[in-house]
Amino acid sequence: GQNIDQPTEMTATEGAIVQINCTYQTSGFNGLFWYQQHAGEAPTFLSYNVLDGLEEKGRFSSFLSRSKGYSYLLLKELQMKDSASYLCAVVDSNYQLIWGAGTKLIIKP
Amino acid sequence: ETGVTQTPRHLVMGMTNKKSLKCEQHLGHNAMYWYKQSAKKPLELMFVYSLEERVENNSVPSRFSPECPNSSHLFLHLHTLQPEDSALYLCASSQDLGQVTTEAFFGQGTRLTVV
């Protein structure tokens, strides 16, 4: 079966750095998405990786290793507004999106 | 504001009621989706429409009935629901169905409670 694993919940301190991991076992791979979802709000697009390596976008970076079936989202200089759920999703060989359950990130002052 | 609007934001209904969820997008997208989001579970894809044609139905119970009258509007008609159907129902759109590698735009969802 297809599976996406992410930690259920993480806590970090304002101003610090946090890394949210995502591991996947899917039938094929055509890219990996990260979305951010604030409580009661719509998920919004953060990043898309299809090649190995690190892609940086401001305070957020996303890393992919296809050989390891692994990605992470790195958030730097954490702000209170970064408290949200972070969803990992993989595009499989049939171009279907397989979603993880999301990681709830709690930022403390 | 993502360009995808869902109404109502909250809905409480009895198991014998009939209600409808509405989704509207003005992004010029050709593909629209209904997802179910339950606490601590992955998003579940329910229905996919491309150019107003239903292209996927992921074994969703018949008490959920989608309707896509045009490329900008999507409805989810609900009847005789069960308490386990209580969840956040998200609508999303993307430019084209074949371009799954492009981002999807989500509405804020309808929080449904079945009593």
Side-chain angles (χ1 to χ4, degrees):
Chain A
Q2 308 205 87
N3 195 49
I4 309 287
D5 286 313
Q6 326 178 215
T8 302
E9 187 173 299
M10 299 182 69
T11 302
T13 304
E14 190 177 16
I17 299 173
V18 71
Q19 177 175 310
I20 302 174
N21 296 326
C22 172
T23 58
Y24 60 90
Q25 301 89 38
T26 57
S27 57
F29 178 84
N30 282 299
L32 184 146
F33 286 92
W34 284 98
Y35 281 81
Q36 180 190 59
Q37 184 179 22
H38 286 101
E41 300 294 326
T44 55
F45 170 82
L46 287 178
S47 66
Y48 171 71
N49 294 65
V50 66
L51 299 176
D52 289 349
L54 184 69
E55 292 202 7
E56 298 183 65
K57 193 184 294 185
R59 294 188 298 113
F60 292 10
S61 302
S62 56
F63 172 83
L64 175 67
S65 170
R66 289 171 297 172
S67 62
K68 295 182 179 178
Y70 167 69
S71 172
Y72 67 72
L73 183 68
L74 190 71
L75 290 74
K76 302 177 184 176
E77 301 169 17
L78 286 170
Q79 301 176 9
M80 298 303 293
K81 67 179 182 179
D82 298 329
S83 292
S85 288
Y86 292 86
L87 311 179
C88 173
V90 171
V91 185
D92 71 7
S93 57
N94 294 318
Y95 290 92
Q96 301 292 316
L97 263 179
I98 312 299
W99 292 85
T103 298
K104 182 178 181 181
L105 177 63
I106 300 168
I107 309 297
K108 295 186 175 180
Chain B
E1 176 60 50
T2 63
V4 179
T5 304
Q6 289 186 243
T7 53
R9 291 291 308 276
H10 301 273
L11 178 63
V12 179
M13 60 185 289
M15 289 188 281
T16 58
N17 291 158
K18 290 184 179 181
K19 297 287 184 183
S20 295
L21 309 185
K22 180 182 177 182
C23 176
E24 191 171 350
Q25 59 95 2
H26 297 290
L27 300 169
H29 289 170
N30 294 319
M32 296 187 77
Y33 313 80
W34 278 117
Y35 283 94
K36 176 183 179 181
Q37 188 176 35
S38 302
K40 300 184 179 180
K41 291 185 178 180
L43 283 174
E44 298 175 44
L45 180 64
M46 300 175 71
F47 300 103
V48 181
Y49 276 82
S50 176
L51 296 170
E52 303 150 45
E53 296 281 334
R54 187 194 304 183
V55 296
E56 188 161 345
N57 172 355
N58 283 333
S59 302
V60 178
S62 59
R63 57 186 184 268
F64 295 92
S65 175
E67 179 189 1
C68 188
N70 56 62
S71 59
S72 298
H73 294 86
L74 187 64
F75 294 90
L76 187 63
H77 303 300
L78 316 171
H79 66 97
T80 59
L81 293 191
Q82 304 298 311
E84 59 264 29
D85 297 323
S86 297
L88 181 68
Y89 288 84
L90 290 165
C91 173
S93 71
S94 62
Q95 184 60 57
D96 290 291
L97 186 61
Q99 297 178 9
V100 185
T101 53
T102 59
E103 65 182 285
F105 291 78
F106 285 84
Q108 291 178 299
T110 295
R111 174 67 62 185
L112 174 67
T113 304
V114 181
V115 297

